[in-house]
Amino acid sequence: MATAALTIPRPDDWHLHLRDGAPMRAVVGHTAAVFGRAIVMPNLRPPVETVAQAEAYRARILEALPAGSRFEPLMTLYLTPRTTAEEVARAAASPHVHGIKLYPAGATTNSDAGVADLGGIEAVLAAMEEHDLPLLVHGESIEPGIDVFDREAVFVERQLAPLCERFPRLRVVLEHITTADAVEFVLGAPPTVAATITPQHLLLDRNALFDGGIRPHHWCLPVLKRRRHREALLRAVASGSPKLFLGTDSAPHEVGTKHAACGCAGIFSAPLALPLYAEAFEEAGALHALEGFASRHGPAFYRLPVATETVTLRREPWSVSASYPFGEGHVVPLRAGGTVAWRVESAP
Ligand code: DOR
Ligand code: ZN
């Protein structure tokens, strides 16, 4: 008989975009209702480059939380060509900063302040290794002429593998992996290297971008890949590897900026993220592995305690809203107007 309910330690989201201002205040509650902590991405405009900026951003998030919420935002800094070893030391000393995010310049939303030449940030990477502060990586090549579907595999081979060899003690999270190539690299790498996986890359392949017409709410970066890559991701999470953990990459954009001639990349999944993962793990025949992925492997990597509170999922379908308020406008979630097979029955 199919499993009807599942109780796991309160999960965390190890990769989340909360935005700022009114949009942030509109979405943070979706995550805080289920997840205990989240690694908050720093790709605001202007980017969160310093510990002082991260502290101020954290204060704004805490202020926006519903009364009584114990949700903890785990802050990150945005690595730019200007980042200094001194800022790395300050970040490592802060109880609130948990990593530094590397965006190859121009690779994705608000990444123009990122790094074009990895050779120019060696001193910063050495300082991060020294201070044992994790490097979080958007793993897509920005070399001209590389096909958009190949950017992750090319980055892994040409940039990430050499970087991990050069800094063998640096803890690295390859964020939102999408390919069999990335799975093979991460699973074969030393324990210092881990990865997050989104619900959309476990549930959808690239055909979902063109299902009867162009589907802007399936557009994210890294872009969805072909079916064999999705299958490799499902096999990887089913293996129970401690190197893999939950990171939704929930990335809300106002609906008008998605329904546009040049629409923004980003999928909003926060209100239904945990149920979507349950669907994916069920499809993989691996519901037993969801607890490690959602609640245990991330804390172990980031050296934080596993939650003592629990969340219960029940196999009971519900209908997803067509949209949610987002600042002055709206945001359309993944699966908008559709049905999800699992629901969060109780959370702290
Ligand atoms: O699809 C994406 N959206 N990928 C990213 O890397 C950034 C994110 C965003 O901030 O919207
Ligand atoms: Zn992201």
Side-chain angles (χ1 to χ4, degrees):
M1 218 180 74
T3 309
L6 201 61
T7 296
I8 60 175
R10 190 175 194 191
D12 306 294
D13 184 348
W14 300 98
H15 183 128
L16 176 68
H17 298 269
L18 283 178
R19 313 308 189 201
D20 207 349
M24 178 271 285
R25 291 194 290 274
V27 295
V28 67
H30 296 297
T31 295
V34 175
F35 296 94
R37 297 165 289 207
I39 285 276
V40 179
M41 287 296 124
N43 64 333
L44 306 181
R45 274 188 198 280
V48 180
E49 280 184 61
T50 64
V51 174
Q53 288 170 323
E55 291 287 0
Y57 184 28
R58 177 173 176 273
R60 294 195 295 278
I61 296 168
L62 291 177
E63 210 174 84
L65 288 172
S69 172
R70 287 187 296 278
F71 175 75
E72 273 182 71
L74 310 175
M75 309 313 290
T76 60
L77 303 189
Y78 190 124
L79 211 172
T80 78
R82 298 176 294 279
T83 305
T84 61
E86 292 73 45
E87 200 62 42
V88 171
R90 272 192 288 278
S94 159
H96 302 138
V97 177
H98 294 265
I100 302 188
K101 176 73 188 259
L102 169 63
Y103 288 103
T108 186
T109 309
N110 295 351
S111 64
D112 2 317
V115 175
D117 170 23
L118 293 186
I121 57 164
E122 296 240 320
V124 166
L125 296 177
M128 291 177 67
E129 183 178 50
E130 195 50 44
H131 290 283
D132 199 17
L133 188 63
L135 176 73
L136 319 185
V137 182
H138 182 104
E140 287 195 286
S141 171
I142 50 166
E143 288 174 57
I146 308 286
D147 190 284
V148 65
F149 292 99
D150 296 334
R151 286 179 193 168
E152 182 176 277
V154 169
F155 182 89
V156 166
E157 185 188 324
R158 297 189 195 164
Q159 264 86 45
L160 189 61
L163 186 154
C164 293
E165 273 192 21
R166 173 120 177 64
F167 300 99
R169 290 176 297 118
L170 178 63
R171 281 185 291 151
V172 175
V173 184
L174 182 54
E175 301 287 354
H176 43 55
I177 59 171
T178 64
T179 57
D181 312 71
V183 166
E184 192 186 342
F185 172 75
V186 171
L187 295 187
T192 43
V193 181
T196 56
I197 308 184
T198 74
Q200 63 264 25
H201 293 105
L202 289 171
L203 288 166
L204 302 173
D205 65 42
R206 65 190 191 175
N207 289 286
L209 281 161
F210 311 109
D211 188 7
I214 193 135
R215 299 290 188 157
H217 301 292
H218 290 160
W219 163 232
C220 64
L221 283 167
V223 67
L224 297 173
K225 301 298 190 300
R226 51 166 82 243
R227 193 222 290 237
R228 78 174 177 85
H229 293 294
R230 177 169 97 85
E231 289 168 350
L233 295 174
L234 286 173
R235 277 196 304 276
V237 296
S239 79
S241 168
K243 289 165 150 287
L244 304 176
F245 35 88
L246 186 159
T248 61
D249 200 13
S250 179
H253 288 273
E254 206 283 318
V255 61
T257 66
K258 299 278 294 174
H259 296 183
C262 186
C264 294
I267 293 180
F268 178 56
S269 62
L272 67 161
L274 191 61
L276 288 176
Y277 281 110
E279 274 190 8
F281 276 70
E282 186 167 48
E283 178 187 341
L287 271 177
H288 59 275
L290 182 62
E291 174 171 333
F293 179 82
S295 312
R296 295 189 181 278
H297 303 162
F301 186 89
Y302 279 96
R303 304 194 181 137
L304 292 167
V306 172
T308 49
E309 299 166 312
T310 59
V311 164
T312 298
L313 283 155
R314 182 163 296 279
R315 201 180 194 305
E316 192 176 85
W318 57 287
S319 303
V320 182
S321 299
S323 70
Y324 291 91
F326 187 58
E328 302 284 284
H330 288 88
V331 55
V332 175
L334 189 56
R335 208 53 90 71
T339 303
V340 189
W342 290 78
R343 73 159 70 240
V344 176
E345 182 176 74
S346 69

